[in-house]
């Protein structure tokens, strides 16, 4: 696309997720013997007022795109 003329980055962002005092770089995983429906139960709205999102509520757990997609899904439910 750029050939030999690759431009320098305009901006660099570095996360400090691993040192965050709340998450400490954590992500969700399925425990051994865990029920496959646990994630779908986690994303179920509470009294139609509290909507949870994040990679833990997604079929793509442990991933950024799982977090993003679950956020969009929760937002769409709220807006409908």
């Amino acid at each position: 696309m750029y050939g030999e003329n690759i431009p320098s980055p305009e901006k660099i962002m570095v996360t400090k997720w691993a040192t965050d005092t709340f998450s400490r770089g954590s992500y969700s995983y399925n425990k051994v013997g865990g029920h496959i429906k646990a994630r779908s139960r986690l994303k179920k709205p509470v009294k139609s007022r509290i909507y949870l999102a994040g990679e833990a509520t997604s079929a793509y757990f442990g991933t950024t795109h799982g977090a993003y997609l679950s956020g969009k899904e929760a937002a769409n439910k709220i807006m409908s």
Side-chain angles (χ1 to χ4, degrees), residues 4 9 17-18 20 29-31 36 48-50 63 72 76:
E4 296 292 318
W17 188 54
D20 179 78
Y29 63 93
N30 289 335
K31 70 177 188 174
I36 196 159
S48 298
R49 294 185 52 87
I50 300 172
T63 66
K72 285 187 69 166
N76 286 332

Side-chain angles (χ1 to χ4, degrees), residues 6 9 14 18 31 35 38-39 41 52 55-56 59-62 64 67 74:
I6 300 172
V14 178
K31 70 177 188 174
H35 198 278
R39 292 181 186 278
R41 285 195 299 259
L52 299 177
E55 54 84 24
Y60 303 103
F61 56 91
T64 302

Side-chain angles (χ1 to χ4, degrees), residues 3-50:
E4 296 292 318
N5 298 316
I6 300 172
S8 296
E10 294 178 13
K11 184 177 182 180
I12 298 173
M13 296 180 68
V14 178
T15 65
K16 296 187 184 322
W17 188 54
T19 59
D20 179 78
T21 56
F22 297 108
S23 70
R24 299 190 190 268
S26 64
Y27 59 91
S28 67
Y29 63 93
N30 289 335
K31 70 177 188 174
V32 174
H35 198 278
I36 196 159
K37 294 192 179 206
R39 292 181 186 278
S40 60
R41 285 195 299 259
L42 182 61
K43 72 177 183 179
K44 186 177 177 185
V46 179
K47 296 184 180 181
S48 298
R49 294 185 52 87
I50 300 172

